[in-house]
Amino acid sequence: MQSDMMMQNAQRLKPEFDDQRGQDLLWLCREISDLSTYLRIKQWWAQTHAGCAAQVADHGIVEVQDKEIWPTYMLATEAQGWIQSPAGRIRRLITEVTSLKTGLSSGIYVKHAMSRPDVMKPTR
């Protein structure tokens, strides 16, 4: 799941993954995703045809439209003042968001802006 999410986010933010390190990370994500797909298909065939492979539960990371998060984001003015992000920062943030997506404990919920993964806030 993390690898699939990483590849989806990389499609939107291609310049962040143009260097060798970014390309290596995406290659590894593709390999993991392919292996996961193979294992899920194999598991599905092993089961009776009554159901599909179990889905991984979403642990409360929600990607929202920017307009939904800016009005209540405490550091909105400072964040909107950033014009250029340091090299590698967005790639690191995407990695963190994907880790949170599968690793948060039950009952913890976080929103992040679609175009700005650095704009996060806890929710209820």
Side-chain angles (χ1 to χ4, degrees):
M1 181 178 189
Q2 287 179 334
S3 294
D4 291 340
M5 289 172 46
M6 180 66 75
M7 290 186 302
Q8 288 172 356
N9 285 315
Q11 286 297 317
R12 288 194 326 224
L13 301 163
K14 288 181 183 184
E16 287 294 322
F17 295 87
D18 280 345
D19 62 0
Q20 186 61 45
R21 187 172 175 208
Q23 291 300 306
D24 290 345
L25 177 62
L26 290 178
W27 175 83
L28 183 60
C29 287
R30 277 192 226 52
E31 292 293 315
I32 291 169
S33 181
D34 290 348
L35 176 60
S36 175
T37 300
Y38 169 76
L39 293 173
R40 278 185 271 145
I41 290 170
K42 189 174 179 179
Q43 179 183 10
W44 178 78
W45 279 109
Q47 296 174 348
T48 62
H49 293 289
C52 295
Q55 294 287 326
V56 176
D58 182 358
H59 291 286
I61 295 293
V62 179
E63 186 176 75
V64 297
Q65 295 287 330
D66 293 2
K67 65 183 178 183
E68 291 180 39
I69 205 166
W70 286 122
T72 59
Y73 186 63
M74 185 171 69
L75 302 172
T77 305
E78 292 88 347
Q80 289 172 329
W82 278 50
I83 297 171
Q84 181 96 18
S85 183
R89 182 168 187 261
I90 298 297
R91 179 175 42 213
R92 176 71 180 156
L93 285 165
I94 291 170
T95 302
E96 291 299 322
V97 167
T98 56
S99 294
L100 287 171
K101 185 82 171 170
T102 58
L104 275 179
S105 298
S106 179
I108 298 176
Y109 302 94
V110 177
K111 284 184 186 178
H112 72 89
M114 289 179 102
S115 70
R116 296 284 306 268
D118 60 327
V119 177
M120 292 185 200
K121 64 181 285 178
T123 63
R124 295 179 189 198

